[in-house]
Amino acid sequence: DHYQIELDDMLDLSEMRHDLMDRVTAVINKAIEQRNQFENYSYLWTENRAEFLRQFLLYNHVLTQEEIENAGEEGVPECPPTLEQFKEQMDTYETLYDEVAALPDVYVFDQWFRLSIRPFKQNLLNVVRKWSLMFKTHLIDHVTNSLKNLQDFIKVTTSGLSVEVEDGDYEGLVACMGHLLNVRDRAATTDEMFEPLK
């Protein structure tokens, strides 16, 4: 009734089973090695993007524990990023996107075991795009807000300077001079806004 004992006693069958198990173990180990290579990308989904951006905007990089400890009570001095540092960050993620996009969709081990990474690859590409987009969105928002503030300033100043000052109108003259002073004070900031366009 039970053939398992007889099958276990067949030497050829036992050798084939061991050979098969060895091949399966070998291919599983190769697949695990491949999976471990993807650990290099794990920071993309383990790091907090919002916190990364916050520190980047304050210090132009993410602080290390050593920097925090060495700064003591006075804290790490702020050093906002330059436009070039923003570009470097965006370029890093664009390069990473190209690197991930170039990964094969399917890995074949020992000519019989297929490992499809298509869903993982697509999700990884989406995460890389989110990192890149985070920097671009910040810059776009910054430019949009700066231009809106400049537009508001121009409206207020134009309105204030278009008021005709009558002879002897000391308050009107002071208001007009105040607008001119604001224009002078704002000139350096406005020039800095358009510096990257030169």
Side-chain angles (χ1 to χ4, degrees):
D1 282 353
H2 200 301
Y3 298 104
Q4 184 64 42
I5 295 170
E6 289 179 32
L7 290 174
D8 288 343
D9 288 341
M10 295 179 142
L11 190 57
D12 288 346
L13 195 56
S14 179
E15 286 176 8
M16 287 192 312
R17 186 181 68 209
H18 285 301
D19 185 44
L20 179 62
M21 292 306 292
D22 289 344
R23 289 181 183 192
V24 168
T25 301
V27 84
I28 287 173
N29 289 336
K30 289 177 183 177
I32 289 171
E33 270 182 50
Q34 184 60 52
R35 181 205 62 194
N36 290 343
Q37 290 181 10
F38 297 129
E39 287 292 321
N40 296 336
Y41 303 112
S42 66
Y43 70 93
L44 293 167
W45 60 84
T46 58
E47 286 190 17
N48 182 322
R49 282 194 302 273
E51 178 59 20
F52 185 97
L53 182 63
R54 186 188 75 75
Q55 287 193 30
F56 179 75
L57 293 174
L58 289 174
Y59 311 109
N60 77 47
H61 66 283
V62 174
L63 298 178
T64 63
Q65 191 61 38
E66 183 179 336
E67 285 176 300
I68 295 169
E69 290 170 1
N70 289 342
E73 288 184 22
E74 61 271 1
V76 178
E78 291 184 10
C79 181
T82 63
L83 199 55
E84 183 60 33
Q85 288 167 323
F86 264 99
K87 184 180 179 330
E88 288 171 12
Q89 285 294 322
M90 291 183 288
D91 288 349
T92 296
Y93 291 105
E94 292 303 316
T95 302
L96 186 58
Y97 186 91
D98 293 341
E99 176 186 313
V100 172
L103 292 173
D105 289 339
V106 176
Y107 290 88
V108 178
F109 301 102
D110 292 347
Q111 301 173 347
W112 63 272
F113 186 82
R114 293 173 45 94
L115 173 65
S116 173
I117 67 161
R118 246 181 240 115
F120 170 75
K121 180 179 171 181
Q122 192 57 51
N123 284 329
L124 186 55
L125 288 170
N126 289 337
V127 170
V128 172
R129 271 291 178 235
K130 287 178 183 178
W131 278 88
S132 178
L133 190 61
M134 173 180 71
F135 292 98
K136 291 175 185 175
T137 301
H138 175 79
L139 287 177
I140 290 169
D141 290 347
H142 178 71
V143 168
T144 302
N145 291 335
S146 296
L147 290 175
K148 172 78 172 94
N149 290 341
L150 179 60
Q151 182 182 23
D152 294 344
F153 175 78
I154 290 171
K155 280 182 185 176
V156 168
T157 304
T158 302
S159 172
L161 291 175
S162 65
V163 173
E164 198 161 319
V165 178
E166 302 290 329
D167 280 342
D169 182 5
Y170 181 74
E171 287 181 19
L173 181 61
V174 169
C176 185
M177 295 298 286
H179 288 294
L180 290 174
L181 183 61
N182 290 341
V183 168
R184 189 191 73 190
D185 292 344
R186 178 77 189 232
T189 305
T190 303
D191 288 346
E192 285 176 17
M193 274 177 52
F194 292 100
E195 185 66 34
L197 298 177
K198 292 181 182 178

